[in-house]
Amino acid sequence: MSFKSLCAVKGVTANGVKEGKFGLALIRASGTAAGVFTANLAKAAPIELMRKQIKKGRLDAIIANSGCANAYTGTKGYEDAVTMTEYAGSALGVDSNSVGVASTGVIGRYLDMPLIRRQCADVALNLTSTPDAEDSTVRAIMTTDLKPKHALVESEDFTIGAIAKGSGMIAPNMGTMIAFICTDASIDEKSLKEALKLATTRTFNRVVVDGDMSTNDIALCIATGESGKVNPREFSGILETCCRSLAQQIAADGEGASKLLEVTVRGATKEAAAAKVARVVIESPLVKTAVYGEDPNWGRVIAAAGRAGVKFDPNAVSLWISDGNNKYPLVKSGEIIADLTKAKAAMRGDKVIFELDLGAGKEEATAWGCDLTEKYVEINGKYTT
């Protein structure tokens, strides 16, 4: 069994446990650290704590629980988040102020601290650097996810490994989920922070499942430095590749999803403008339901792009549809040339791609999402019961 993520990185051990809906994961990795967080005004207690602790620019471990988000829990919730770092610090022999913490699950409920304390003690005794440990760690933080999410990118000089959870309550403006990233590269705090921010902008912030932004979104990256110094620009590109893999996995595993939806927008005046159009198309319920029904109602893509708040000439756009293997034109410079039979055929697989050229510039961006099915309503209509 080969490595898939975290444990391929020098200096990293991990493990986790899941008991019913309640899980706990520990990651032991020491080094330079950076983080990005949800933009939701109602930030969960662990987010409020980590926004302070990450300013030190170093972490020695991460503790994360699933089943309870510890969000909208006031002073008690914040104190419980601090206590979680103390549990991990004591169990692993590190300063609790250098422990990252994250939670995911139901909002508006308090943590079961005796359970977390017991799980932490048990997991700490079994931290290892094996493929099985990677899998148990990511499964410990899963909620409605159907699949564990791993990413591993290895260069000649260093490795980046990461895990993530995320299936619903996914919308842009931070990390759209929980992600833990480790690398054995040696990189300074400023460069690591910049690289994580750029990677987040181009990957995690371009994933939309349902348009609801979580209270608990967080991505933490720790660089152990055990493979030596790296070129910051090279590192940034490889980190983006790693995060893109996680972003695509999250989109494909959206709650109730049957198809991955990818939208690339080209010909924009700015990358940010292209990204904005791509996100609006991705989150459109009309586009998402058409993809689910394999209905080549491509006019919905044009309509969604037109309300994104980005200036372009609708009569100059071009649009294609693809299944990843075959690509068919729908509009060319404003002229309808769609073959609806071929377009429908391109929607029959588990991946649907739209490519939209605005004809206004040279910048581009890609966003990822999924179709909208009856299963999404079923999952979220009975989430706490």
Side-chain angles (χ1 to χ4, degrees):
M1 190 175 182
S2 59
F3 289 112
K4 295 175 286 187
S5 58
L6 296 176
C7 291
V9 177
K10 297 175 183 176
V12 177
T13 56
N15 219 323
V17 65
K18 195 68 177 282
E19 298 174 275
K21 292 183 178 180
F22 301 99
L24 186 130
L26 287 175
I27 300 169
R28 180 72 171 89
S30 294
T32 305
V36 287
F37 311 94
T38 182
N40 195 316
L41 186 63
K43 295 175 178 62
I47 300 299
E48 297 288 8
L49 175 59
M50 285 312 303
R51 283 165 61 89
K52 296 178 182 179
Q53 294 204 163
I54 203 65
K55 291 178 180 179
K56 300 181 180 70
R58 180 182 177 84
L59 289 175
D60 291 309
I62 296 170
I63 181 172
N65 75 283
S66 63
C68 177
N70 192 14
Y72 206 72
T73 48
T75 301
K76 174 174 170 51
Y78 188 87
E79 292 173 349
D80 286 345
V82 172
T83 300
M84 282 183 64
T85 66
E86 293 172 348
Y87 287 165
S90 176
L92 300 176
V94 300
D95 185 347
S96 63
N97 291 317
S98 68
V99 175
V101 61
S103 298
T104 181
V106 180
I107 297 169
R109 296 185 181 179
Y110 296 115
L111 294 171
D112 182 340
M113 296 307 291
L115 172 64
I116 287 177
R117 185 173 189 174
R118 175 178 63 77
Q119 288 181 328
C120 178
D122 291 344
V123 173
L125 293 174
N126 296 291
L127 295 188
T128 60
S129 184
T130 65
D132 285 342
E134 295 173 328
D135 206 48
S136 64
T137 302
V138 71
R139 290 184 183 280
I141 61 172
M142 290 167 59
T143 52
T144 57
D145 306 65
L146 295 179
K147 300 177 182 178
K149 298 163 183 70
H150 297 269
L152 178 63
V153 184
E154 298 174 286
S155 74
E156 292 184 1
D157 301 316
F158 63 93
T159 297
I160 301 178
I163 60 171
K165 65 83 53 182
S167 186
M169 220 176 192
I170 304 295
N173 289 326
M174 195 305 293
T176 68
M177 78 281 135
I178 289 177
F180 301 131
I181 308 161
C182 292
T183 178
D184 44 31
S186 176
I187 186 168
D188 64 274
E189 179 187 346
K190 181 175 182 292
S191 296
L192 181 62
K193 185 177 180 179
E194 290 175 350
L196 182 60
K197 184 177 180 180
L198 181 60
T200 296
T201 297
R202 290 180 169 173
T203 61
F204 300 149
N205 278 3
R206 294 182 185 171
V207 177
V208 183
V209 169
D210 50 19
D212 265 312
M213 188 195 306
S214 171
T215 55
N216 291 62
D217 297 339
I218 184 171
L220 296 175
C221 183
I222 302 175
T224 67
E226 295 197 15
S227 288
K229 292 185 177 181
V230 297
N231 179 291
R233 180 173 294 183
E234 178 190 3
F235 176 84
S236 182
I238 292 178
L239 178 62
E240 184 177 325
T241 298
C242 184
C243 293
R244 184 181 301 111
S245 174
L246 292 178
Q248 292 171 337
Q249 291 176 62
I250 288 169
D253 193 31
E255 288 177 341
S258 66
K259 299 177 187 292
L260 171 66
L261 175 59
E262 179 177 298
V263 175
T264 294
V265 176
R266 299 191 176 89
T269 55
K270 296 181 179 179
E271 181 181 338
K276 187 174 183 181
V277 173
R279 288 199 302 263
V280 170
V281 174
I282 281 286
E283 69 184 6
S284 166
L286 291 178
V287 172
K288 291 160 73 69
T289 50
V291 170
Y292 170 53
E294 299 177 3
D295 177 14
N297 193 352
W298 55 265
R300 293 179 175 181
V301 175
I302 302 293
R307 65 176 171 83
V310 172
K311 290 186 178 181
F312 63 91
D313 180 1
N315 295 316
V317 305
S318 297
L319 179 66
W320 297 263
I321 190 171
S322 171
D323 59 5
N325 296 310
N326 301 298
K327 179 178 173 181
Y328 305 109
L330 301 170
V331 178
K332 183 177 181 180
S333 300
E335 179 185 355
I336 299 172
I337 57 174
D339 182 327
L340 296 184
T341 300
K342 290 182 178 179
K344 186 174 182 63
M347 305 179 82
R348 289 174 181 156
D350 57 9
K351 184 176 185 179
V352 176
I353 302 168
F354 285 108
E355 296 183 19
L356 178 65
D357 191 327
L358 302 181
K362 297 181 178 180
E363 298 300 319
E364 66 177 79
T366 299
W368 300 271
C370 60
D371 56 351
L372 181 60
T373 73
E374 301 95 330
K375 189 68 175 177
Y376 176 85
V377 178
E378 181 183 332
I379 291 170
N380 286 284
K382 303 175 182 177
Y383 188 74
T384 65
T385 56

